Amino acid sequence: MDTKLIRNFSIIAHIDHGKSTLADRLIELTHTISAREMTAQFLDNMDIEKERGITIKAQTVRLSYVSKSGEVYCFNLIDTPGHVDFSYEVSRSLASCDGALLVVDASQGVEAQTLANVYMAIENNLEIIPVINKIDLPHADVDKAKKQVEDIIGIDTKNAAEVSAKSGLGVDDLLEKIITYIPPPKGRRENSLAALIFDSWFDSYQGVVVLVRVVDGVLRLKDRIRFFYTDESYEVLKLGVNSPFFTEVKELGAGEVGMVICGIKTIRDVSIGDTVVHDKDKNAVSLPGFKEAKPMVFCGIFPVDSSEFGILKESLEKLALNDSSFTYFPESSTALGFGFRCGFLGLLHMNIIQERLEREFELDLISTAPSCNYLVQTTTGESLEVANPSELPDISTVEQISEPYVEISIHVPNDYIGNIIKLCEERRGTQKEIKYITEDRVQIVYELPLSEMVFDFYDKLKGLSKGYASMDYELVGYRTSNLVKLDILLNGDPVDALSIICHRSSADFRGRELVQKLRKLIGRQQFDIAIQAAIGAKIISRETVKALRKNVLAKCYGGDITRKRKLLEKQKKGKKRMKMVGSVEIPQEAFLAVLKVDE
């Protein structure tokens, strides 16, 4: 295919600004599928995406569009997620595009994640077309939205498209603007093969399926290819494009996006960001890949049944192929057995991965409370990176602990400024800036510890602003803080999976709240269960789950008190003996209680 007739573009926007709906209209107007096959949010093909109403995975589709001039153009569209936790999906998608449609809600204007995605697109030197969406809403203000795009982002809106993705109004005009303003791919078919891997997934029948953007050259069936980074070679068995269902093709030329199937069974042979070259081409050079995703939030994931550890390991390998932004490595816990310590980009990302593991691989899992990485300086001068509270060395050998800080940017209407500032101050935040974007909308910039943000900051933010606030954040480095390890003991034994690292000023409160919460969640046994919160050797709080007791005095309907006392003493000895051999079952809710201690 002539590269002049190809357009590779992505749709970027804040959450709920209409990316997936606009993708639906583009699919409809190019007659890619019939009206009978069309469903709302067509590209969101996971059940979890439809249930939550969010895009989790970037999806590609090839559209064939006949322009007003009569030329047939090939559009490769990539629909991207909007939530900050999936920004790595967006960065990978943008690296394989030549342009981007920036969707802005006419009633909401520029939001936090709009800015973050635009900066990513600018970094990739993409041509950006502003698209003002939802122009048919009664409270839509198109001129105000355009002014915000010009003032805040600095993009000229002279060529902006005004559309209603729901009704299809103005989408015809947008298709023509894509041809006019988004440049065709620069690659040449005559050059040596170089294709960028920007996604992959595991198919039970066909092995690893690799999604590539061919930058230069031509990839044909039966070609012998090599993955540059892993240095593994395979024969191409199938080539295909999403149009929007898998359609086999004989070749993929420069500028095209498609799927490569080589019958790859070893998952580790494929790496996101790698370059596909011809096996015999010894002078091939790799394309610039992607910045590696740096996990922000960590938690332990353990199978409820310890015999499922092998299945969990295999499932994580397959899921990591589909979502390379989370990391995992083995760990063991005295309370929960063998599992994995997983790193995620955020709290929503963590919830989605756990839910996908349970749904797609039918696993029963226990996840520990999320935490972040800490840098520990010991008295011997050694520097350690600690992701799990149980890895923290003895407090007497610790000189200082540094925690990660993030710069958080919150966009919120004027009415809620007080609530948001109070929330940030409570979470040990330092105010950096308050900037009035418009007469009734403010940008608040704070620096605060990541550990204070990973718990329920986003939920609280949404609650305090009645859903109007939006936020974006980025890591700004590590700072020394007065941190301590808070241990939870059950009958004197520490439960490493419930341990947390927190600031000394809030440790007493968190300890008290947590043991009170656990007392309600841990079921009664045949013996007393002592739940204690401790910092080092100092117990700061205690609650007791009373034992279930048989009424041994029921048969004593009179007689001497010594007879009753004798029976009670006998029962007491039995309970004591049972406590020595009995084990306490900890429900999944107990691990989640760590998240909700300040409700």
Side-chain angles (χ1 to χ4, degrees), residues 30-47:
T30 52
H31 307 292
T32 304
I33 57 171
S34 65
R36 183 174 59 83
E37 293 170 308
M38 190 66 198
T39 56
Q41 272 76 46
F42 183 81
L43 293 180
D44 292 346
N45 52 20
M46 282 193 279
D47 290 341

mmCIF file with all atom_site columns, all heavy atoms in Angstrom, residues 30-47:
data_model
loop_
_atom_site.group_PDB
_atom_site.id
_atom_site.type_symbol
_atom_site.label_atom_id
_atom_site.label_alt_id
_atom_site.label_comp_id
_atom_site.label_asym_id
_atom_site.label_entity_id
_atom_site.label_seq_id
_atom_site.pdbx_PDB_ins_code
_atom_site.Cartn_x
_atom_site.Cartn_y
_atom_site.Cartn_z
_atom_site.occupancy
_atom_site.B_iso_or_equiv
_atom_site.pdbx_formal_charge
_atom_site.auth_seq_id
_atom_site.auth_comp_id
_atom_site.auth_asym_id
_atom_site.auth_atom_id
_atom_site.pdbx_PDB_model_num
ATOM 1   N N   . THR A 1 30 ? -17.170 4.860   8.547  1.00 0.00 ? 30 THR A N   1
ATOM 2   C CA  . THR A 1 30 ? -16.312 4.281   7.502  1.00 0.00 ? 30 THR A CA  1
ATOM 3   C C   . THR A 1 30 ? -16.835 2.910   7.052  1.00 0.00 ? 30 THR A C   1
ATOM 4   O O   . THR A 1 30 ? -16.176 2.217   6.273  1.00 0.00 ? 30 THR A O   1
ATOM 5   C CB  . THR A 1 30 ? -14.866 4.133   8.015  1.00 0.00 ? 30 THR A CB  1
ATOM 6   O OG1 . THR A 1 30 ? -14.873 3.428   9.264  1.00 0.00 ? 30 THR A OG1 1
ATOM 7   C CG2 . THR A 1 30 ? -14.190 5.487   8.207  1.00 0.00 ? 30 THR A CG2 1
ATOM 8   N N   . HIS A 1 31 ? -18.031 2.535   7.581  1.00 0.00 ? 31 HIS A N   1
ATOM 9   C CA  . HIS A 1 31 ? -18.707 1.271   7.222  1.00 0.00 ? 31 HIS A CA  1
ATOM 10  C C   . HIS A 1 31 ? -17.781 0.067   7.417  1.00 0.00 ? 31 HIS A C   1
ATOM 11  O O   . HIS A 1 31 ? -17.774 -0.870  6.613  1.00 0.00 ? 31 HIS A O   1
ATOM 12  C CB  . HIS A 1 31 ? -19.206 1.318   5.768  1.00 0.00 ? 31 HIS A CB  1
ATOM 13  C CG  . HIS A 1 31 ? -20.044 2.524   5.476  1.00 0.00 ? 31 HIS A CG  1
ATOM 14  N ND1 . HIS A 1 31 ? -21.281 2.720   6.028  1.00 0.00 ? 31 HIS A ND1 1
ATOM 15  C CD2 . HIS A 1 31 ? -19.776 3.633   4.716  1.00 0.00 ? 31 HIS A CD2 1
ATOM 16  C CE1 . HIS A 1 31 ? -21.772 3.881   5.614  1.00 0.00 ? 31 HIS A CE1 1
ATOM 17  N NE2 . HIS A 1 31 ? -20.874 4.462   4.820  1.00 0.00 ? 31 HIS A NE2 1
ATOM 18  N N   . THR A 1 32 ? -17.011 0.115   8.517  1.00 0.00 ? 32 THR A N   1
ATOM 19  C CA  . THR A 1 32 ? -16.077 -0.982  8.812  1.00 0.00 ? 32 THR A CA  1
ATOM 20  C C   . THR A 1 32 ? -16.837 -2.244  9.224  1.00 0.00 ? 32 THR A C   1
ATOM 21  O O   . THR A 1 32 ? -16.434 -3.354  8.892  1.00 0.00 ? 32 THR A O   1
ATOM 22  C CB  . THR A 1 32 ? -15.091 -0.553  9.917  1.00 0.00 ? 32 THR A CB  1
ATOM 23  O OG1 . THR A 1 32 ? -14.442 0.641   9.493  1.00 0.00 ? 32 THR A OG1 1
ATOM 24  C CG2 . THR A 1 32 ? -14.041 -1.612  10.193 1.00 0.00 ? 32 THR A CG2 1
ATOM 25  N N   . ILE A 1 33 ? -17.927 -2.047  9.975  1.00 0.00 ? 33 ILE A N   1
ATOM 26  C CA  . ILE A 1 33 ? -18.778 -3.202  10.330 1.00 0.00 ? 33 ILE A CA  1
ATOM 27  C C   . ILE A 1 33 ? -20.236 -2.826  10.113 1.00 0.00 ? 33 ILE A C   1
ATOM 28  O O   . ILE A 1 33 ? -20.580 -1.645  10.032 1.00 0.00 ? 33 ILE A O   1
ATOM 29  C CB  . ILE A 1 33 ? -18.571 -3.684  11.788 1.00 0.00 ? 33 ILE A CB  1
ATOM 30  C CG1 . ILE A 1 33 ? -18.817 -2.556  12.783 1.00 0.00 ? 33 ILE A CG1 1
ATOM 31  C CG2 . ILE A 1 33 ? -17.212 -4.287  11.984 1.00 0.00 ? 33 ILE A CG2 1
ATOM 32  C CD1 . ILE A 1 33 ? -18.829 -3.020  14.221 1.00 0.00 ? 33 ILE A CD1 1
ATOM 33  N N   . SER A 1 34 ? -21.078 -3.831  10.051 1.00 0.00 ? 34 SER A N   1
ATOM 34  C CA  . SER A 1 34 ? -22.507 -3.589  9.808  1.00 0.00 ? 34 SER A CA  1
ATOM 35  C C   . SER A 1 34 ? -23.177 -3.077  11.075 1.00 0.00 ? 34 SER A C   1
ATOM 36  O O   . SER A 1 34 ? -22.677 -3.256  12.190 1.00 0.00 ? 34 SER A O   1
ATOM 37  C CB  . SER A 1 34 ? -23.186 -4.883  9.359  1.00 0.00 ? 34 SER A CB  1
ATOM 38  O OG  . SER A 1 34 ? -23.147 -5.846  10.411 1.00 0.00 ? 34 SER A OG  1
ATOM 39  N N   . ALA A 1 35 ? -24.339 -2.444  10.895 1.00 0.00 ? 35 ALA A N   1
ATOM 40  C CA  . ALA A 1 35 ? -25.093 -1.899  12.033 1.00 0.00 ? 35 ALA A CA  1
ATOM 41  C C   . ALA A 1 35 ? -25.495 -3.007  13.003 1.00 0.00 ? 35 ALA A C   1
ATOM 42  O O   . ALA A 1 35 ? -25.567 -2.795  14.213 1.00 0.00 ? 35 ALA A O   1
ATOM 43  C CB  . ALA A 1 35 ? -26.334 -1.177  11.521 1.00 0.00 ? 35 ALA A CB  1
ATOM 44  N N   . ARG A 1 36 ? -25.729 -4.211  12.471 1.00 0.00 ? 36 ARG A N   1
ATOM 45  C CA  . ARG A 1 36 ? -26.139 -5.345  13.321 1.00 0.00 ? 36 ARG A CA  1
ATOM 46  C C   . ARG A 1 36 ? -25.027 -5.759  14.279 1.00 0.00 ? 36 ARG A C   1
ATOM 47  O O   . ARG A 1 36 ? -25.268 -6.151  15.415 1.00 0.00 ? 36 ARG A O   1
ATOM 48  C CB  . ARG A 1 36 ? -26.539 -6.526  12.426 1.00 0.00 ? 36 ARG A CB  1
ATOM 49  C CG  . ARG A 1 36 ? -27.056 -7.739  13.171 1.00 0.00 ? 36 ARG A CG  1
ATOM 50  C CD  . ARG A 1 36 ? -27.558 -8.785  12.189 1.00 0.00 ? 36 ARG A CD  1
ATOM 51  N NE  . ARG A 1 36 ? -26.520 -9.212  11.272 1.00 0.00 ? 36 ARG A NE  1
ATOM 52  C CZ  . ARG A 1 36 ? -25.597 -10.146 11.567 1.00 0.00 ? 36 ARG A CZ  1
ATOM 53  N NH1 . ARG A 1 36 ? -25.590 -10.707 12.757 1.00 0.00 ? 36 ARG A NH1 1
ATOM 54  N NH2 . ARG A 1 36 ? -24.700 -10.502 10.675 1.00 0.00 ? 36 ARG A NH2 1
ATOM 55  N N   . GLU A 1 37 ? -23.758 -5.670  13.816 1.00 0.00 ? 37 GLU A N   1
ATOM 56  C CA  . GLU A 1 37 ? -22.619 -6.090  14.640 1.00 0.00 ? 37 GLU A CA  1
ATOM 57  C C   . GLU A 1 37 ? -22.146 -5.009  15.604 1.00 0.00 ? 37 GLU A C   1
ATOM 58  O O   . GLU A 1 37 ? -21.398 -5.277  16.527 1.00 0.00 ? 37 GLU A O   1
ATOM 59  C CB  . GLU A 1 37 ? -21.436 -6.471  13.723 1.00 0.00 ? 37 GLU A CB  1
ATOM 60  C CG  . GLU A 1 37 ? -21.683 -7.708  12.877 1.00 0.00 ? 37 GLU A CG  1
ATOM 61  C CD  . GLU A 1 37 ? -20.603 -7.904  11.824 1.00 0.00 ? 37 GLU A CD  1
ATOM 62  O OE1 . GLU A 1 37 ? -20.318 -6.953  11.075 1.00 0.00 ? 37 GLU A OE1 1
ATOM 63  O OE2 . GLU A 1 37 ? -20.035 -9.015  11.776 1.00 0.00 ? 37 GLU A OE2 1
ATOM 64  N N   . MET A 1 38 ? -22.615 -3.783  15.377 1.00 0.00 ? 38 MET A N   1
ATOM 65  C CA  . MET A 1 38 ? -22.120 -2.649  16.159 1.00 0.00 ? 38 MET A CA  1
ATOM 66  C C   . MET A 1 38 ? -22.681 -2.663  17.576 1.00 0.00 ? 38 MET A C   1
ATOM 67  O O   . MET A 1 38 ? -23.874 -2.887  17.796 1.00 0.00 ? 38 MET A O   1
ATOM 68  C CB  . MET A 1 38 ? -22.530 -1.341  15.458 1.00 0.00 ? 38 MET A CB  1
ATOM 69  C CG  . MET A 1 38 ? -21.885 -0.113  16.044 1.00 0.00 ? 38 MET A CG  1
ATOM 70  S SD  . MET A 1 38 ? -20.103 -0.113  15.775 1.00 0.00 ? 38 MET A SD  1
ATOM 71  C CE  . MET A 1 38 ? -19.583 1.080   16.977 1.00 0.00 ? 38 MET A CE  1
ATOM 72  N N   . THR A 1 39 ? -21.809 -2.441  18.555 1.00 0.00 ? 39 THR A N   1
ATOM 73  C CA  . THR A 1 39 ? -22.231 -2.288  19.958 1.00 0.00 ? 39 THR A CA  1
ATOM 74  C C   . THR A 1 39 ? -21.547 -1.049  20.518 1.00 0.00 ? 39 THR A C   1
ATOM 75  O O   . THR A 1 39 ? -20.531 -0.598  19.999 1.00 0.00 ? 39 THR A O   1
ATOM 76  C CB  . THR A 1 39 ? -21.804 -3.506  20.813 1.00 0.00 ? 39 THR A CB  1
ATOM 77  O OG1 . THR A 1 39 ? -20.383 -3.674  20.701 1.00 0.00 ? 39 THR A OG1 1
ATOM 78  C CG2 . THR A 1 39 ? -22.512 -4.774  20.380 1.00 0.00 ? 39 THR A CG2 1
ATOM 79  N N   . ALA A 1 40 ? -22.118 -0.482  21.586 1.00 0.00 ? 40 ALA A N   1
ATOM 80  C CA  . ALA A 1 40 ? -21.509 0.701   22.217 1.00 0.00 ? 40 ALA A CA  1
ATOM 81  C C   . ALA A 1 40 ? -20.144 0.333   22.787 1.00 0.00 ? 40 ALA A C   1
ATOM 82  O O   . ALA A 1 40 ? -19.942 -0.774  23.284 1.00 0.00 ? 40 ALA A O   1
ATOM 83  C CB  . ALA A 1 40 ? -22.421 1.225   23.312 1.00 0.00 ? 40 ALA A CB  1
ATOM 84  N N   . GLN A 1 41 ? -19.207 1.303   22.729 1.00 0.00 ? 41 GLN A N   1
ATOM 85  C CA  . GLN A 1 41 ? -17.818 1.072   23.173 1.00 0.00 ? 41 GLN A CA  1
ATOM 86  C C   . GLN A 1 41 ? -17.272 -0.216  22.549 1.00 0.00 ? 41 GLN A C   1
ATOM 87  O O   . GLN A 1 41 ? -16.805 -1.118  23.236 1.00 0.00 ? 41 GLN A O   1
ATOM 88  C CB  . GLN A 1 41 ? -17.722 1.006   24.719 1.00 0.00 ? 41 GLN A CB  1
ATOM 89  C CG  . GLN A 1 41 ? -17.515 2.350   25.399 1.00 0.00 ? 41 GLN A CG  1
ATOM 90  C CD  . GLN A 1 41 ? -18.783 3.170   25.450 1.00 0.00 ? 41 GLN A CD  1
ATOM 91  O OE1 . GLN A 1 41 ? -19.830 2.657   25.794 1.00 0.00 ? 41 GLN A OE1 1
ATOM 92  N NE2 . GLN A 1 41 ? -18.703 4.440   25.089 1.00 0.00 ? 41 GLN A NE2 1
ATOM 93  N N   . PHE A 1 42 ? -17.345 -0.272  21.243 1.00 0.00 ? 42 PHE A N   1
ATOM 94  C CA  . PHE A 1 42 ? -17.011 -1.496  20.497 1.00 0.00 ? 42 PHE A CA  1
ATOM 95  C C   . PHE A 1 42 ? -15.585 -1.974  20.777 1.00 0.00 ? 42 PHE A C   1
ATOM 96  O O   . PHE A 1 42 ? -15.328 -3.167  20.893 1.00 0.00 ? 42 PHE A O   1
ATOM 97  C CB  . PHE A 1 42 ? -17.190 -1.244  18.991 1.00 0.00 ? 42 PHE A CB  1
ATOM 98  C CG  . PHE A 1 42 ? -16.948 -2.473  18.156 1.00 0.00 ? 42 PHE A CG  1
ATOM 99  C CD1 . PHE A 1 42 ? -17.931 -3.432  18.011 1.00 0.00 ? 42 PHE A CD1 1
ATOM 100 C CD2 . PHE A 1 42 ? -15.728 -2.680  17.534 1.00 0.00 ? 42 PHE A CD2 1
ATOM 101 C CE1 . PHE A 1 42 ? -17.704 -4.582  17.251 1.00 0.00 ? 42 PHE A CE1 1
ATOM 102 C CE2 . PHE A 1 42 ? -15.490 -3.818  16.770 1.00 0.00 ? 42 PHE A CE2 1
ATOM 103 C CZ  . PHE A 1 42 ? -16.489 -4.768  16.636 1.00 0.00 ? 42 PHE A CZ  1
ATOM 104 N N   . LEU A 1 43 ? -14.645 -1.041  20.899 1.00 0.00 ? 43 LEU A N   1
ATOM 105 C CA  . LEU A 1 43 ? -13.237 -1.432  21.069 1.00 0.00 ? 43 LEU A CA  1
ATOM 106 C C   . LEU A 1 43 ? -12.911 -1.859  22.499 1.00 0.00 ? 43 LEU A C   1
ATOM 107 O O   . LEU A 1 43 ? -11.864 -2.437  22.749 1.00 0.00 ? 43 LEU A O   1
ATOM 108 C CB  . LEU A 1 43 ? -12.306 -0.290  20.636 1.00 0.00 ? 43 LEU A CB  1
ATOM 109 C CG  . LEU A 1 43 ? -12.315 0.047   19.139 1.00 0.00 ? 43 LEU A CG  1
ATOM 110 C CD1 . LEU A 1 43 ? -11.363 1.184   18.838 1.00 0.00 ? 43 LEU A CD1 1
ATOM 111 C CD2 . LEU A 1 43 ? -11.967 -1.169  18.287 1.00 0.00 ? 43 LEU A CD2 1
ATOM 112 N N   . ASP A 1 44 ? -13.802 -1.518  23.463 1.00 0.00 ? 44 ASP A N   1
ATOM 113 C CA  . ASP A 1 44 ? -13.601 -1.989  24.836 1.00 0.00 ? 44 ASP A CA  1
ATOM 114 C C   . ASP A 1 44 ? -14.135 -3.417  24.916 1.00 0.00 ? 44 ASP A C   1
ATOM 115 O O   . ASP A 1 44 ? -15.305 -3.644  25.226 1.00 0.00 ? 44 ASP A O   1
ATOM 116 C CB  . ASP A 1 44 ? -14.329 -1.089  25.841 1.00 0.00 ? 44 ASP A CB  1
ATOM 117 C CG  . ASP A 1 44 ? -13.717 0.295   25.920 1.00 0.00 ? 44 ASP A CG  1
ATOM 118 O OD1 . ASP A 1 44 ? -12.607 0.473   25.411 1.00 0.00 ? 44 ASP A OD1 1
ATOM 119 O OD2 . ASP A 1 44 ? -14.362 1.198   26.485 1.00 0.00 ? 44 ASP A OD2 1
ATOM 120 N N   . ASN A 1 45 ? -13.262 -4.403  24.595 1.00 0.00 ? 45 ASN A N   1
ATOM 121 C CA  . ASN A 1 45 ? -13.764 -5.772  24.442 1.00 0.00 ? 45 ASN A CA  1
ATOM 122 C C   . ASN A 1 45 ? -13.672 -6.634  25.688 1.00 0.00 ? 45 ASN A C   1
ATOM 123 O O   . ASN A 1 45 ? -14.034 -7.786  25.683 1.00 0.00 ? 45 ASN A O   1
ATOM 124 C CB  . ASN A 1 45 ? -13.067 -6.472  23.267 1.00 0.00 ? 45 ASN A CB  1
ATOM 125 C CG  . ASN A 1 45 ? -11.557 -6.393  23.364 1.00 0.00 ? 45 ASN A CG  1
ATOM 126 O OD1 . ASN A 1 45 ? -11.032 -6.151  24.453 1.00 0.00 ? 45 ASN A OD1 1
ATOM 127 N ND2 . ASN A 1 45 ? -10.857 -6.580  22.261 1.00 0.00 ? 45 ASN A ND2 1
ATOM 128 N N   . MET A 1 46 ? -13.180 -6.077  26.805 1.00 0.00 ? 46 MET A N   1
ATOM 129 C CA  . MET A 1 46 ? -13.138 -6.852  28.050 1.00 0.00 ? 46 MET A CA  1
ATOM 130 C C   . MET A 1 46 ? -14.402 -6.555  28.858 1.00 0.00 ? 46 MET A C   1
ATOM 131 O O   . MET A 1 46 ? -14.849 -5.400  28.902 1.00 0.00 ? 46 MET A O   1
ATOM 132 C CB  . MET A 1 46 ? -11.900 -6.476  28.877 1.00 0.00 ? 46 MET A CB  1
ATOM 133 C CG  . MET A 1 46 ? -10.619 -7.101  28.393 1.00 0.00 ? 46 MET A CG  1
ATOM 134 S SD  . MET A 1 46 ? -9.290  -6.925  29.607 1.00 0.00 ? 46 MET A SD  1
ATOM 135 C CE  . MET A 1 46 ? -8.732  -5.291  29.298 1.00 0.00 ? 46 MET A CE  1
ATOM 136 N N   . ASP A 1 47 ? -14.941 -7.577  29.530 1.00 0.00 ? 47 ASP A N   1
ATOM 137 C CA  . ASP A 1 47 ? -16.143 -7.393  30.362 1.00 0.00 ? 47 ASP A CA  1
ATOM 138 C C   . ASP A 1 47 ? -15.916 -6.331  31.423 1.00 0.00 ? 47 ASP A C   1
ATOM 139 O O   . ASP A 1 47 ? -16.788 -5.517  31.709 1.00 0.00 ? 47 ASP A O   1
ATOM 140 C CB  . ASP A 1 47 ? -16.534 -8.722  31.047 1.00 0.00 ? 47 ASP A CB  1
ATOM 141 C CG  . ASP A 1 47 ? -17.058 -9.739  30.048 1.00 0.00 ? 47 ASP A CG  1
ATOM 142 O OD1 . ASP A 1 47 ? -17.448 -9.311  28.949 1.00 0.00 ? 47 ASP A OD1 1
ATOM 143 O OD2 . ASP A 1 47 ? -17.055 -10.938 30.362 1.00 0.00 ? 47 ASP A OD2 1
#
